[in-house]
mmCIF file with all atom_site columns, all heavy atoms in Angstrom:
data_model
loop_
_atom_site.group_PDB
_atom_site.id
_atom_site.type_symbol
_atom_site.label_atom_id
_atom_site.label_alt_id
_atom_site.label_comp_id
_atom_site.label_asym_id
_atom_site.label_entity_id
_atom_site.label_seq_id
_atom_site.pdbx_PDB_ins_code
_atom_site.Cartn_x
_atom_site.Cartn_y
_atom_site.Cartn_z
_atom_site.occupancy
_atom_site.B_iso_or_equiv
_atom_site.pdbx_formal_charge
_atom_site.auth_seq_id
_atom_site.auth_comp_id
_atom_site.auth_asym_id
_atom_site.auth_atom_id
_atom_site.pdbx_PDB_model_num
ATOM 1  N N   . GLY A 1 154 ? -108.866 -18.562 -158.905 1.00 98.00 ? 165 GLY A N   1
ATOM 2  C CA  . GLY A 1 154 ? -109.145 -17.550 -159.915 1.00 98.00 ? 165 GLY A CA  1
ATOM 3  C C   . GLY A 1 154 ? -110.479 -16.845 -159.784 1.00 98.00 ? 165 GLY A C   1
ATOM 4  O O   . GLY A 1 154 ? -110.933 -16.189 -160.713 1.00 98.00 ? 165 GLY A O   1
ATOM 5  N N   . VAL A 1 155 ? -111.105 -16.925 -158.631 1.00 98.00 ? 166 VAL A N   1
ATOM 6  C CA  . VAL A 1 155 ? -112.411 -16.284 -158.428 1.00 98.00 ? 166 VAL A CA  1
ATOM 7  C C   . VAL A 1 155 ? -112.229 -14.798 -158.136 1.00 98.00 ? 166 VAL A C   1
ATOM 8  O O   . VAL A 1 155 ? -111.277 -14.392 -157.473 1.00 98.00 ? 166 VAL A O   1
ATOM 9  C CB  . VAL A 1 155 ? -113.179 -16.973 -157.273 1.00 98.00 ? 166 VAL A CB  1
ATOM 10 C CG1 . VAL A 1 155 ? -114.381 -16.152 -156.821 1.00 98.00 ? 166 VAL A CG1 1
ATOM 11 C CG2 . VAL A 1 155 ? -113.621 -18.366 -157.684 1.00 98.00 ? 166 VAL A CG2 1
ATOM 12 N N   . VAL A 1 156 ? -113.167 -13.998 -158.634 1.00 98.00 ? 167 VAL A N   1
ATOM 13 C CA  . VAL A 1 156 ? -113.248 -12.579 -158.292 1.00 98.00 ? 167 VAL A CA  1
ATOM 14 C C   . VAL A 1 156 ? -114.570 -12.368 -157.571 1.00 98.00 ? 167 VAL A C   1
ATOM 15 O O   . VAL A 1 156 ? -115.634 -12.675 -158.113 1.00 98.00 ? 167 VAL A O   1
ATOM 16 C CB  . VAL A 1 156 ? -113.187 -11.681 -159.549 1.00 98.00 ? 167 VAL A CB  1
ATOM 17 C CG1 . VAL A 1 156 ? -113.396 -10.215 -159.171 1.00 98.00 ? 167 VAL A CG1 1
ATOM 18 C CG2 . VAL A 1 156 ? -111.871 -11.865 -160.284 1.00 98.00 ? 167 VAL A CG2 1
ATOM 19 N N   . VAL A 1 157 ? -114.484 -11.862 -156.337 1.00 98.00 ? 168 VAL A N   1
ATOM 20 C CA  . VAL A 1 157 ? -115.662 -11.524 -155.555 1.00 98.00 ? 168 VAL A CA  1
ATOM 21 C C   . VAL A 1 157 ? -115.800 -10.009 -155.626 1.00 98.00 ? 168 VAL A C   1
ATOM 22 O O   . VAL A 1 157 ? -114.936 -9.280  -155.140 1.00 98.00 ? 168 VAL A O   1
ATOM 23 C CB  . VAL A 1 157 ? -115.514 -11.995 -154.085 1.00 98.00 ? 168 VAL A CB  1
ATOM 24 C CG1 . VAL A 1 157 ? -116.720 -11.566 -153.263 1.00 98.00 ? 168 VAL A CG1 1
ATOM 25 C CG2 . VAL A 1 157 ? -115.302 -13.501 -154.017 1.00 98.00 ? 168 VAL A CG2 1
ATOM 26 N N   . GLU A 1 158 ? -116.858 -9.553  -156.269 1.00 98.00 ? 169 GLU A N   1
ATOM 27 C CA  . GLU A 1 158 ? -117.073 -8.108  -156.419 1.00 98.00 ? 169 GLU A CA  1
ATOM 28 C C   . GLU A 1 158 ? -117.319 -7.457  -155.059 1.00 98.00 ? 169 GLU A C   1
ATOM 29 O O   . GLU A 1 158 ? -117.841 -8.088  -154.134 1.00 98.00 ? 169 GLU A O   1
ATOM 30 C CB  . GLU A 1 158 ? -118.272 -7.849  -157.340 1.00 98.00 ? 169 GLU A CB  1
ATOM 31 C CG  . GLU A 1 158 ? -118.043 -8.267  -158.781 1.00 98.00 ? 169 GLU A CG  1
ATOM 32 C CD  . GLU A 1 158 ? -117.100 -7.361  -159.552 1.00 98.00 ? 169 GLU A CD  1
ATOM 33 O OE1 . GLU A 1 158 ? -116.817 -6.227  -159.086 1.00 98.00 ? 169 GLU A OE1 1
ATOM 34 O OE2 . GLU A 1 158 ? -116.644 -7.776  -160.625 1.00 98.00 ? 169 GLU A OE2 1
ATOM 35 N N   . SER A 1 159 ? -116.968 -6.186  -154.940 1.00 98.00 ? 170 SER A N   1
ATOM 36 C CA  . SER A 1 159 ? -117.119 -5.434  -153.693 1.00 98.00 ? 170 SER A CA  1
ATOM 37 C C   . SER A 1 159 ? -118.539 -5.518  -153.147 1.00 98.00 ? 170 SER A C   1
ATOM 38 O O   . SER A 1 159 ? -119.512 -5.480  -153.899 1.00 98.00 ? 170 SER A O   1
ATOM 39 C CB  . SER A 1 159 ? -116.769 -3.969  -153.924 1.00 98.00 ? 170 SER A CB  1
ATOM 40 O OG  . SER A 1 159 ? -115.413 -3.845  -154.265 1.00 98.00 ? 170 SER A OG  1
ATOM 41 N N   . GLY A 1 160 ? -118.624 -5.649  -151.833 1.00 98.00 ? 171 GLY A N   1
ATOM 42 C CA  . GLY A 1 160 ? -119.916 -5.643  -151.155 1.00 98.00 ? 171 GLY A CA  1
ATOM 43 C C   . GLY A 1 160 ? -120.687 -6.948  -151.226 1.00 98.00 ? 171 GLY A C   1
ATOM 44 O O   . GLY A 1 160 ? -121.827 -7.012  -150.783 1.00 98.00 ? 171 GLY A O   1
ATOM 45 N N   . SER A 1 161 ? -120.080 -8.005  -151.732 1.00 98.00 ? 172 SER A N   1
ATOM 46 C CA  . SER A 1 161 ? -120.779 -9.287  -151.867 1.00 98.00 ? 172 SER A CA  1
ATOM 47 C C   . SER A 1 161 ? -120.783 -10.058 -150.548 1.00 98.00 ? 172 SER A C   1
ATOM 48 O O   . SER A 1 161 ? -119.903 -9.883  -149.714 1.00 98.00 ? 172 SER A O   1
ATOM 49 C CB  . SER A 1 161 ? -120.105 -10.143 -152.941 1.00 98.00 ? 172 SER A CB  1
ATOM 50 O OG  . SER A 1 161 ? -120.184 -9.506  -154.197 1.00 98.00 ? 172 SER A OG  1
ATOM 51 N N   . VAL A 1 162 ? -121.785 -10.921 -150.408 1.00 98.00 ? 173 VAL A N   1
ATOM 52 C CA  . VAL A 1 162 ? -121.867 -11.827 -149.268 1.00 98.00 ? 173 VAL A CA  1
ATOM 53 C C   . VAL A 1 162 ? -121.823 -13.247 -149.818 1.00 98.00 ? 173 VAL A C   1
ATOM 54 O O   . VAL A 1 162 ? -122.763 -13.693 -150.470 1.00 98.00 ? 173 VAL A O   1
ATOM 55 C CB  . VAL A 1 162 ? -123.150 -11.601 -148.444 1.00 98.00 ? 173 VAL A CB  1
ATOM 56 C CG1 . VAL A 1 162 ? -123.253 -12.619 -147.314 1.00 98.00 ? 173 VAL A CG1 1
ATOM 57 C CG2 . VAL A 1 162 ? -123.190 -10.181 -147.892 1.00 98.00 ? 173 VAL A CG2 1
ATOM 58 N N   . VAL A 1 163 ? -120.707 -13.921 -149.563 1.00 98.00 ? 174 VAL A N   1
ATOM 59 C CA  . VAL A 1 163 ? -120.507 -15.276 -150.086 1.00 98.00 ? 174 VAL A CA  1
ATOM 60 C C   . VAL A 1 163 ? -120.941 -16.265 -149.014 1.00 98.00 ? 174 VAL A C   1
ATOM 61 O O   . VAL A 1 163 ? -120.293 -16.392 -147.983 1.00 98.00 ? 174 VAL A O   1
ATOM 62 C CB  . VAL A 1 163 ? -119.033 -15.508 -150.492 1.00 98.00 ? 174 VAL A CB  1
ATOM 63 C CG1 . VAL A 1 163 ? -118.850 -16.925 -151.017 1.00 98.00 ? 174 VAL A CG1 1
ATOM 64 C CG2 . VAL A 1 163 ? -118.592 -14.482 -151.528 1.00 98.00 ? 174 VAL A CG2 1
ATOM 65 N N   . ASP A 1 164 ? -122.060 -16.963 -149.271 1.00 97.00 ? 175 ASP A N   1
ATOM 66 C CA  . ASP A 1 164 ? -122.564 -17.924 -148.288 1.00 97.00 ? 175 ASP A CA  1
ATOM 67 C C   . ASP A 1 164 ? -122.612 -19.353 -148.827 1.00 97.00 ? 175 ASP A C   1
ATOM 68 O O   . ASP A 1 164 ? -123.131 -20.244 -148.173 1.00 97.00 ? 175 ASP A O   1
ATOM 69 C CB  . ASP A 1 164 ? -123.930 -17.501 -147.753 1.00 97.00 ? 175 ASP A CB  1
ATOM 70 C CG  . ASP A 1 164 ? -125.016 -17.496 -148.811 1.00 97.00 ? 175 ASP A CG  1
ATOM 71 O OD1 . ASP A 1 164 ? -124.710 -17.746 -150.000 1.00 97.00 ? 175 ASP A OD1 1
ATOM 72 O OD2 . ASP A 1 164 ? -126.177 -17.245 -148.450 1.00 97.00 ? 175 ASP A OD2 1
ATOM 73 N N   . GLY A 1 165 ? -122.058 -19.559 -150.016 1.00 97.00 ? 176 GLY A N   1
ATOM 74 C CA  . GLY A 1 165 ? -121.982 -20.891 -150.599 1.00 97.00 ? 176 GLY A CA  1
ATOM 75 C C   . GLY A 1 165 ? -120.690 -21.030 -151.387 1.00 97.00 ? 176 GLY A C   1
ATOM 76 O O   . GLY A 1 165 ? -120.025 -20.040 -151.707 1.00 97.00 ? 176 GLY A O   1
ATOM 77 N N   . ASP A 1 166 ? -120.341 -22.256 -151.724 1.00 98.00 ? 177 ASP A N   1
ATOM 78 C CA  . ASP A 1 166 ? -119.112 -22.512 -152.467 1.00 98.00 ? 177 ASP A CA  1
ATOM 79 C C   . ASP A 1 166 ? -119.145 -21.834 -153.839 1.00 98.00 ? 177 ASP A C   1
ATOM 80 O O   . ASP A 1 166 ? -120.199 -21.749 -154.476 1.00 98.00 ? 177 ASP A O   1
ATOM 81 C CB  . ASP A 1 166 ? -118.906 -24.017 -152.663 1.00 98.00 ? 177 ASP A CB  1
ATOM 82 C CG  . ASP A 1 166 ? -118.624 -24.738 -151.352 1.00 98.00 ? 177 ASP A CG  1
ATOM 83 O OD1 . ASP A 1 166 ? -118.395 -24.066 -150.329 1.00 98.00 ? 177 ASP A OD1 1
ATOM 84 O OD2 . ASP A 1 166 ? -118.624 -25.985 -151.364 1.00 98.00 ? 177 ASP A OD2 1
ATOM 85 N N   . ILE A 1 167 ? -117.967 -21.375 -154.279 1.00 98.00 ? 178 ILE A N   1
ATOM 86 C CA  . ILE A 1 167 ? -117.830 -20.736 -155.587 1.00 98.00 ? 178 ILE A CA  1
ATOM 87 C C   . ILE A 1 167 ? -116.856 -21.555 -156.409 1.00 98.00 ? 178 ILE A C   1
ATOM 88 O O   . ILE A 1 167 ? -115.716 -21.788 -155.982 1.00 98.00 ? 178 ILE A O   1
ATOM 89 C CB  . ILE A 1 167 ? -117.300 -19.281 -155.462 1.00 98.00 ? 178 ILE A CB  1
ATOM 90 C CG1 . ILE A 1 167 ? -118.170 -18.457 -154.502 1.00 98.00 ? 178 ILE A CG1 1
ATOM 91 C CG2 . ILE A 1 167 ? -117.209 -18.632 -156.831 1.00 98.00 ? 178 ILE A CG2 1
ATOM 92 C CD1 . ILE A 1 167 ? -119.574 -18.216 -154.926 1.00 98.00 ? 178 ILE A CD1 1
#
Side-chain angles (χ1 to χ4, degrees):
V166 167
V167 175
V168 177
E169 293 287 345
S170 295
S172 297
V173 176
V174 179
D175 65 356
D177 293 350
I178 306 295

